[in-house]
Amino acid sequence: MGLDFIEGQGEDFERALESTGFGKFHFALLTICGLIYLNTAVGITIISFVLPSATCDFEMSSSDKGWLTAAPMLGMVIGSYFWGCLADTKGRKTVLIGALLMDGCCGLLSSISQVYWLFMLFRFLNGFAITGAMGICFPYLGEFQPGKYRETILCWMELFWTLGVIVLPGMAWIIIPMEFKYEAENFKFSSWNLFVATCSTPSLLIGFWLFFFPESPKFLLECGEADAALEVLKDMYAANTGDSAAAFPVISLREKVRTMSVVSQQSTRSIRSLRIRKPKELKLLMQEIWEQTKALCKPPHLRYTVITCLIQFGLTTSYYTLMIWFPELFYRFEEFEKIHPNERATVCEVSSVVVPVNASSPQEGFCGDPLNDSVFLHTLIIGLACIPTSFWLPLCVHRLGAKFFLVFSLIVAGAVTFGLYFVNSTTSNLVLSCIFEALTSLGISTVYCVMVDLFPTNLRVMAAALSLTFGRGGALVGNLLFGFLIDLNCVVPIVLFATMLLGSGLLCLMLPSTGQGALD
């Protein structure tokens, strides 16, 4: 799949990587990449808690809520491939830092937005930025790992996602119910605004911390910067062993023949050194991106490109749409049970009772009520339910294989989604929601792990970004569909999402076994 090494020129990269040992550096890298992934879990689903709390401030109808939840997804659709192209040409670390800082700044600005359209714009930009961080952190982490540890380390990322799912409702429970409100002329800052601002701050902190980490040595070698890659390996060796970097046993690395690179054919410069501000160099950069995009759409990569895009579409559409709307569904059950104590009703019946089908504007009784503590508790329990699968994946992935986890999690999640139609109480809704979250989040993390192995270094992030674009596009459509249909006929989206998950699970059978060999 990858390019050949020039014979007789230095050490093979995989053997050099193994010579750095495994220790402090790898744990620090796992920590920061895990925090990036945790931060994306918070950033992507934050809207689910803002929806009920901000309804009155922005006078949102159900369709308005659908558009607001869709805005970050639209940003992700547009941003995924943009960041992927940059990461495969300008570097993983640089683009990660840019995406995180943009996400943090836009999040803070959204927290002080006073009108619906401005808040929606900044949430769009949040989605645009956070998808870059999400798509790059797995390849960035994976390219530092020796082959025997790579799949296990990547699978530990699922635990950080779970922590994000737990932290978010915990923070919401503490901040949103606070009796806090600052008002001035044409300006209002409530507890939910503080919640948005608090959730945005970690992006800035992680972005600045990332300045102290190196660029991926695998990417540097791909760009023809063997000396720079060797320096990174020396620093890794020093951090892991406590020895001096000068004691690193490898003196030089074999450089790759960059036959696929437009830049290497026209100059001896690294693609990272091209400046976007210079028209000639920008043209060269765009040619490189186009060539790499074409490579993804031709054999031998075409098969896996199509399969991963379809899997991401089915999985991401179902996961993000339902997880963003679960707090809203809990809220509607709470409202129904207040009005009709000791009565049971399905999700569809609850929706039609609480929000009249003909409602085109927010109702006085449906607007402005604070969220019940049980809504926060339910969402927190959903996060806690993911802890067993978060440990099961990394501890057993070498024995069972990533492919097993993909097929199992998606097919069972599809069956659970069908079961949502038969839910008739808050408790049954909670049980199925827990199983759904645990299995689908497991599936999402495992897809990212598998994709690190499926594609070579010069296409790795771009391939992940392309599949993310399909996934986010599906999530965008799903959010709009759910927003409109939840008050009209919720049978259709439930059946649709269940079918998508089952289909994605069957497609996973076509993927190869991964995680054993060296990266291309």
Side-chain angles (χ1 to χ4, degrees):
M1 193 183 293
L3 305 169
D4 294 323
F5 287 106
I6 300 172
E7 293 297 325
Q9 292 187 8
E11 185 61 84
D12 173 86
F13 176 78
E14 187 67 22
R15 284 197 289 272
L17 189 60
E18 289 174 359
S19 300
T20 64
F22 188 85
K24 289 181 182 177
F25 176 85
H26 292 91
F27 293 125
L29 187 70
L30 174 61
T31 301
I32 193 167
C33 289
L35 289 174
I36 292 170
Y37 200 42
L38 183 156
N39 188 54
T40 61
V42 170
I44 286 168
T45 51
I46 185 176
I47 288 292
S48 60
F49 290 98
V50 172
L51 276 177
S53 305
T55 297
C56 278
D57 283 10
F58 294 136
E59 298 183 348
M60 289 188 288
S61 64
S62 279
S63 60
D64 288 333
K65 292 177 186 181
W67 284 108
L68 182 58
T69 54
M73 292 301 167
L74 179 59
M76 291 178 189
V77 171
I78 298 170
S80 290
Y81 205 62
F82 170 81
W83 295 111
C85 292
L86 281 183
D88 272 342
T89 51
K90 303 298 288 182
R92 279 65 160 131
K93 173 189 165 182
T94 307
V95 178
L96 261 176
I97 291 172
L100 287 165
L101 296 182
M102 179 181 174
D103 176 59
C105 291
C106 290
L108 290 176
L109 289 170
S110 74
S111 73
I112 57 173
S113 299
Q114 299 299 299
V115 289
Y116 171 75
W117 68 264
L118 189 60
F119 181 75
M120 188 164 67
L121 173 63
F122 281 122
R123 296 320 300 181
F124 164 81
L125 294 174
N126 271 119
F128 181 88
I130 202 68
T131 192
M134 190 177 192
I136 300 166
C137 64
F138 273 84
Y140 179 67
L141 175 63
E143 287 171 1
F144 283 93
Q145 310 303 321
K148 60 181 175 180
Y149 298 115
R150 185 174 59 252
E151 195 164 64
T152 301
I153 288 292
L154 288 172
C155 286
W156 278 113
M157 291 282 276
E158 164 65 7
L159 182 60
F160 287 92
W161 180 272
T162 297
L163 292 175
V165 174
I166 294 169
V167 165
L168 183 65
M171 288 172 59
W173 200 353
I174 294 168
I175 298 173
I176 292 177
M178 288 169 60
E179 296 292 330
F180 167 77
K181 184 174 285 190
Y182 172 79
E183 289 192 56
E185 189 178 354
N186 299 322
F187 184 81
K188 188 193 299 183
F189 194 86
S190 305
S191 58
W192 73 266
N193 300 95
L194 179 63
F195 171 64
V196 173
T198 304
C199 291
S200 304
T201 308
S203 288
L204 298 173
L205 299 177
I206 297 168
F208 287 121
W209 187 19
L210 198 56
F211 276 104
F212 297 98
F213 284 81
E215 180 55 86
S216 159
K218 185 73 175 169
F219 175 77
L220 291 171
L221 191 65
E222 185 70 32
C223 292
E225 299 181 45
D227 291 340
L230 184 60
E231 288 303 312
V232 172
L233 294 177
K234 286 180 178 179
D235 291 339
M236 290 169 61
Y237 172 80
N240 285 334
T241 63
D243 275 355
S244 163
F248 186 54
V250 178
I251 300 170
S252 63
L253 294 173
R254 294 182 192 170
E255 287 195 48
K256 276 198 167 188
V257 182
R258 295 182 292 150
T259 53
M260 286 178 64
S261 173
V262 172
V263 178
S264 66
Q265 290 170 4
Q266 299 188 21
S267 73
T268 56
R269 294 175 58 188
S270 165
I271 191 171
R272 289 200 313 144
S273 66
L274 295 179
R275 296 177 185 173
I276 297 173
R277 291 189 297 271
K278 293 188 175 182
K280 284 186 179 179
E281 294 186 12
L282 177 61
K283 183 181 177 183
L284 207 57
L285 189 64
M286 295 306 293
Q287 282 181 286
E288 181 75 25
I289 289 170
W290 176 240
E291 287 301 317
Q292 290 180 337
T293 303
K294 286 197 296 184
L296 280 176
C297 300
K298 294 190 297 188
H301 307 303
L302 177 62
R303 172 186 168 86
Y304 294 138
T305 300
V306 172
I307 291 172
T308 52
C309 284
L310 290 174
I311 291 170
Q312 283 275 28
F313 180 83
L315 173 55
T316 311
T317 301
S318 308
Y319 177 79
Y320 285 114
T321 305
L322 291 176
M323 285 314 300
I324 283 175
W325 278 90
F326 271 141
E328 174 76 5
L329 295 178
F330 281 124
Y331 178 71
R332 293 183 181 210
F333 265 111
E334 291 287 337
E335 290 295 303
F336 177 84
E337 288 169 4
K338 282 180 190 174
I339 300 167
H340 306 280
N342 302 318
E343 285 188 32
R344 290 180 177 271
T346 65
V347 170
C348 299
E349 290 167 345
V350 164
S351 299
S352 63
V353 170
V354 175
V355 185
V357 170
N358 295 324
S360 58
S361 62
Q363 303 297 309
E364 291 296 322
F366 187 63
C367 176
D369 292 334
L371 277 176
N372 193 296
D373 284 354
S374 61
V375 176
F376 297 113
L377 180 61
H378 290 160
T379 316
L380 193 61
I381 291 170
I382 289 174
L384 292 170
C386 298
I387 291 176
T389 52
S390 299
F391 282 99
W392 183 37
L393 174 62
L395 292 176
C396 296
V397 69
H398 265 308
R399 185 176 301 171
L400 300 174
K403 188 172 174 180
F404 164 81
F405 283 98
L406 272 175
V407 175
F408 173 81
S409 63
L410 293 181
I411 289 179
V412 178
V416 167
T417 306
F418 273 122
L420 285 175
Y421 177 71
F422 302 100
V423 162
N424 59 10
S425 68
T426 305
T427 305
S428 55
N429 188 35
L430 178 62
V431 171
L432 283 187
S433 301
C434 287
I435 300 170
F436 177 85
E437 164 68 26
L439 293 173
T440 48
S441 66
L442 178 77
I444 287 172
S445 297
T446 313
V447 168
Y448 292 138
C449 296
V450 168
M451 290 193 71
V452 170
D453 276 72
L454 286 180
F455 297 93
T457 303
N458 65 318
L459 302 176
R460 187 168 293 124
V461 182
M462 223 176 265
L466 187 61
S467 71
L468 280 174
T469 302
F470 274 80
R472 300 302 180 267
L476 171 64
V477 173
N479 266 293
L480 292 175
L481 192 69
F482 203 88
F484 286 115
L485 291 184
I486 189 64
D487 297 336
L488 298 172
N489 184 356
C490 67
V491 177
V492 175
I494 287 174
V495 171
L496 185 63
F497 296 148
T499 306
M500 284 182 172
L501 286 167
L502 292 172
S504 296
L506 295 175
L507 279 171
C508 291
L509 293 170
M510 301 173 69
L511 293 173
S513 298
T514 56
Q516 301 303 316
L519 289 180
D520 264 335

